[in-house]
Amino acid sequence: MDKYPGGMYISAEDPTRSLRSQDTENGELLLVGGENHKTGQGVNTQNHYDLLVNYSRKLFSIEDIPYRWSTQDCMTVDGLPYIGQYTEKTPNMYIATGYGKWGMTNGTAAGMVIKDLIIKGDSPWKDVYNPSRQTIKASAKKYITENYNVARELLKGKLSPLPNKVEIKRGEGKVIEADGQRCGAFRDTLGKLHIVNTTCTHLGCELTWNSAETSWDCPCHGSRFSYKGEVIEGPAIKPLDARNDVNLIERLIKEDF
Ligand code: FES
């Protein structure tokens, strides 16, 4: 068990881990990052948090874990961010996105490029980061793989069978079938049931339950919704439909105290 030596680190091997620290009035906060995964896919998010905690405890003396969170990063198909004029037809609109987990460096680059485009009308990096660039050679493989992944997740969500009888404990969320329709049910700590339509309002994939953050997550393009259906993360912009027939659904499932 060691004290953190200071500095910022990222591992070269898999699984990736990053470390940095921050002094606070309550002592030193150690920030441990890693467990990269696609939103809404793979193992339960809680497993990812557990692995980071185990890793941290092996190396350092940890008194408390006051915060934990997941962040979503946009990745472009050729690996470089999109920075610059949104399209040729929108001269006063600029975008900066697709930082691929390197927000501090790519965000700084975006500020420099966009500043030059606005003030000087040009930038030496304009073509490299051009949001409308065509980089078929660098993009094709990833583009095909990602589209295959989306199609697979779309079908999986629509076709996966649902159990006939379900029991939903407090703090638990599940996809259930009610009146022949798929819907998402979450029971809060007071025992109240919250039911939403689990079809993503972006392009219609079926959402999965994220028990670590009590949210509905989309495996296709990463949208996330609260258990009440509010949008937490895009690309979706519309909330999920809440179902009003909660009493009917309540009779179909059981609560276990
Ligand atoms: S279908 Fe859900 S984010 Fe695209």
Side-chain angles (χ1 to χ4, degrees), residues 76-82 126-144:
T76 64
V77 281
D78 61 8
L80 274 180
Y82 297 132
K126 180 172 139 189
D127 294 337
V128 175
Y129 292 119
N130 181 359
S132 305
R133 65 183 178 265
Q134 304 280 334
T135 52
I136 294 165
K137 216 169 158 189
S139 313
K141 190 169 167 216
K142 189 145 188 215
Y143 182 81
I144 292 166

Side-chain angles (χ1 to χ4, degrees), residues 188-209:
D188 65 25
T189 47
L190 299 175
K192 185 176 173 204
L193 207 54
H194 302 264
I195 317 272
V196 292
N197 183 335
T198 48
T199 301
C200 180
T201 56
H202 176 225
L203 291 177
C205 286
E206 287 302 317
L207 306 172
T208 60
W209 177 243

Side-chain angles (χ1 to χ4, degrees), residues 150 154 199-207 217-225 233-236:
V150 168
L154 176 70
T199 301
C200 180
T201 56
H202 176 225
L203 291 177
C205 286
E206 287 302 317
L207 306 172
D217 297 355
C218 183
C220 288
H221 312 104
S223 291
R224 295 183 58 219
F225 304 84
E233 184 80 31

